[in-house]
Amino acid sequence: MSFTVKGWCPGALRPMQSGDGLVVRVRPVAGRLTQVQAAGIAQAARAHGNGLIDLSGRANVQLRGVTPESHPALIADLAQLGLIDPDIETEARRNIIVTPFANAATYALAESLQAALAAGPELPGKFGFLLDCGSAPVMADTQADIRFERAPDGQLLLRCAGCDLGAPVTEGRAAEAALDLAEWFVRAGGVVDGRGRMARLIASGVSPEGTLRPLIAPARALSRPEPGLTVQGALVGFEFGQMHAETLAALASLGPIRVTPWRMLLIEGLSTLPGLPDLITEAGDPRLRVFACTGAPGCPQAARSTREIARVLAPRVAAGQTLHVSGCAKGCAWPAPADLTLIATLEGFDLVRDGRASDHPAHTRISPAALPDLPEFS
């Protein structure tokens, strides 16, 4: 079964058609939602969609089941909450992921970067920036083209995806340097027919020079956070990154919310984990090891359903490993390599070891009933 690579991600002003209606992606400024904004999103999801809300791998919030008729009213409600950009172009440029453990200096950098990008070059739709500015990176498995990280001595680094080293930058010039790097990407031929990623350009053998020259390795990355209490508040997860509007409304009543790229939300200021249904609050929960896209019939490109088999296999995935169940070879739910990847086809499932959904499978046409008995899951 073939699939279509659109080369852009959905937004609020430019939604994407799926099997259950339009997918409307809301990009919170610096990944933060006030209590009023979070409650408003929940209300809008019920009023104008099917009440299902997804957390994307880019730390955004997606409303599902929106129709062409309900979309204008949804945009009007979101605009009242300060969540809508003036136009599609501005929305597309604001592709910035901020660590949920950010401090005031990181949020100030995010604001400066957003302002700088408004006057920056035209970049591919999926080209993104990541601010991972804690003492050590925590978003190593989150894809982005230009990354801010820290050196072991605390110095701020600007690093290209695909390059092990970063260029040292000052806090005051950081946003300007990121814009310079984006302009270098365009000049170096990183954009072809409107598409392009930094890692691919770096792999071709080119590298920035001068003040953007990679010199210093970032601090050793920390493992992906798990649900629990943090200095900033309570970190809670969701099966496949999806929740009902009622759950978001209940969380909004507890405090401001920071959206993460890990299918989790951080509720600021909490010193105890919320006792709400449908939350994942325990570290090591096997559902956190499994990534699964919407699958059929929610996605028209998926060959079959994905989440039912993902639930069956989750307890069989070894601790420390990841399983990606994809409805097609596009691999939207987890674009990075996984220990095990299952790709749905019309004939069954293909299995890839240590790779992506687009990689060559080790086994093909496995029936869903036979999957639990494979050595990889036994």
Side-chain angles (χ1 to χ4, degrees):
M1 182 175 178
S2 62
F3 60 88
T4 301
V5 178
K6 297 183 181 293
W8 54 276
C9 293
L13 297 174
R14 190 188 186 190
M16 187 174 287
Q17 183 67 47
S18 192
D20 58 352
L22 296 176
V23 176
V24 177
R25 178 175 290 185
V26 180
R27 303 183 181 190
V29 177
R32 303 177 84 182
L33 294 170
T34 67
Q35 290 179 265
V36 171
Q37 287 175 327
I41 289 174
Q43 181 178 354
R46 289 192 296 261
H48 309 299
N50 60 15
L52 292 177
I53 299 172
D54 292 336
L55 301 175
S56 82
R58 295 175 184 264
N60 295 313
V61 178
Q62 296 183 164
L63 283 64
R64 303 194 68 90
V66 179
T67 67
E69 294 73 25
S70 67
H71 183 246
L74 170 62
I75 294 301
D77 285 355
L78 295 175
Q80 289 291 323
L81 297 168
L83 293 169
I84 297 298
D85 293 287
D87 50 57
I88 293 175
E89 291 73 25
T90 302
E91 178 182 66
R93 287 173 181 267
R94 195 167 55 82
N95 195 1
I96 304 170
I97 302 175
V98 180
T99 172
F101 309 123
N103 57 18
T106 300
Y107 286 125
L109 173 55
E111 183 177 356
S112 298
L113 178 59
Q114 180 176 322
L117 289 175
E122 184 175 351
L123 296 167
K126 293 191 176 184
F127 193 96
F129 299 78
L130 183 144
L131 277 61
D132 200 0
C133 304
S135 58
V138 294
M139 297 191 288
D141 58 4
T142 301
Q143 289 197 338
D145 296 274
I146 294 177
R147 312 172 72 93
F148 280 105
E149 296 163 335
R150 296 279 178 187
D153 64 359
Q155 188 172 18
L156 188 63
L157 299 178
L158 181 63
R159 185 167 70 88
C160 298
C163 185
D164 293 334
L165 306 178
V169 294
T170 63
E171 305 279 345
R173 195 185 172 276
E176 180 184 351
L179 193 62
D180 290 344
L181 189 55
E183 291 173 344
W184 171 84
F185 168 80
V186 174
R187 291 195 308 272
V191 183
V192 179
D193 296 329
R195 299 182 182 182
R197 301 306 297 266
M198 180 68 81
R200 186 174 302 144
L201 178 64
I202 295 297
S204 72
V206 300
S207 181
E209 297 291 342
T211 59
L212 300 175
R213 182 183 177 188
L215 295 173
I216 302 173
R220 182 184 297 273
L222 302 175
S223 58
R224 189 193 317 158
E226 294 193 308
L229 295 177
T230 73
V231 173
Q232 293 81 9
L235 195 59
V236 298
F238 305 86
E239 184 185 59
F240 309 126
Q242 189 171 85
M243 74 189 86
H244 292 89
E246 292 75 15
T247 301
L248 180 59
L251 292 173
S253 70
L254 301 177
I257 290 174
R258 304 184 186 189
V259 187
T260 84
W262 310 302
R263 301 174 297 170
M264 294 190 279
L265 295 176
L266 192 154
I267 300 86
E268 293 182 11
L270 293 190
S271 57
T272 58
L273 290 167
L276 298 172
D278 302 327
L279 299 184
I280 298 176
T281 57
E282 293 186 9
D285 190 301
R287 290 173 292 177
L288 295 173
R289 305 172 199 157
V290 182
F291 300 86
C293 63
T294 300
C299 176
Q301 301 199 70
R304 59 181 65 234
S305 63
T306 56
R307 293 183 173 175
E308 292 153 348
I309 192 64
R311 288 188 185 97
V312 171
L313 296 177
R316 298 170 176 265
V317 179
Q321 292 199 326
T322 54
L323 167 67
H324 175 198
V325 184
S326 183
C328 70
K330 191 176 176 182
C332 296
W334 187 245
D339 296 286
L340 298 169
T341 300
L342 292 172
I343 307 98
T345 70
L346 296 178
E347 294 79 24
F349 282 91
D350 293 348
L351 173 65
V352 172
R353 297 194 191 98
D354 298 317
R356 298 175 171 85
S358 58
D359 291 339
H360 185 74
H363 301 286
T364 61
R365 302 183 180 185
I366 309 166
S367 72
L371 286 172
D373 296 324
L374 292 178
E376 288 83 356
F377 300 110
S378 61

